[in-house]
Amino acid sequence: QVQLVESGGGSVQQGGSLRLSCRASGYTSNITFMGWFRQSPGKEREGVATIYVRSAGTFYADSVKGRFTISQDTAKNMLYLEMNTLKPEDTAIYYCAAGPRGNWLITRALDQRIFRYWGQGTQVTVSS
C-alpha cells in the first residue's frame, strides 16, 4: 500500500502564491506517476497537474498552465505544486494522488480514474 499526506494549504489573496507538498510512504516503488487534483464545492474533482516519475514529464490543465508547476524529489518521496498568480477560482481542496505502472495512459494523464492512491486533501482558499 501507499500512503500520501498533503501539506501547505492555506489562505492567500488573489495574485499570491502557495506551495503544496505531498509525502509518499509505504510501497513507493509501485508508484509510476503522481498528480494533483482539486475539488471545489458543487463541482467534480478535476486534474490539475501530473508528473511521470521516471522521466519527470509533466502535464497540466489548461486553467493552470503558466501559473502552476509540479515537481518531485524522488530521493525524499516528495511531490510539490508551486502555485503562483492565484485566482479566487483556484479555491478548492487539493489532493495528491499516485498510480502504478499498469494504470498509466498518457492520453489520460489528468484522469482521476488511472490514479489508485489518494491523500486526504488540503484546503486552498484565494480571496479577491
Side-chain angles (χ1 to χ4, degrees):
Q1 269 291 9
V2 172
Q3 293 78 44
L4 302 172
V5 179
E6 305 95 338
S7 61
S11 297
V12 65
Q13 288 195 327
Q14 182 175 349
S17 299
L18 280 175
R19 187 194 197 204
L20 305 183
S21 300
C22 173
R23 180 179 299 278
S25 61
Y27 192 35
T28 56
S29 61
N30 196 36
I31 296 175
T32 302
F33 54 97
M34 298 188 75
W36 291 96
F37 288 76
R38 67 186 181 186
Q39 187 168 20
S40 305
K43 295 185 178 180
E44 293 187 359
R45 187 159 55 185
E46 63 174 352
V48 175
T50 296
I51 188 166
Y52 194 80
V53 173
R54 191 173 203 178
S55 66
T58 57
F59 306 84
Y60 293 93
D62 289 342
S63 59
V64 306
K65 280 181 182 176
R67 301 189 297 122
F68 290 12
T69 302
I70 188 171
S71 62
Q72 62 183 355
D73 184 334
T74 56
K76 296 180 179 179
N77 291 324
M78 294 293 296
L79 180 73
Y80 304 100
L81 185 68
E82 185 74 35
M83 304 185 294
N84 297 313
T85 319
L86 282 161
K87 304 175 182 180
E89 50 263 43
D90 295 317
T91 295
I93 298 174
Y94 283 71
Y95 298 91
C96 172
R101 183 189 311 276
N103 285 22
W104 177 248
L105 285 172
I106 194 169
T107 55
R108 293 187 177 181
L110 295 173
D111 188 334
Q112 61 179 321
R113 290 173 293 183
I114 69 171
F115 290 80
R116 179 179 295 177
Y117 310 109
W118 293 86
Q120 293 299 308
T122 184
Q123 177 71 46
V124 171
T125 302
V126 184
S127 58
S128 58

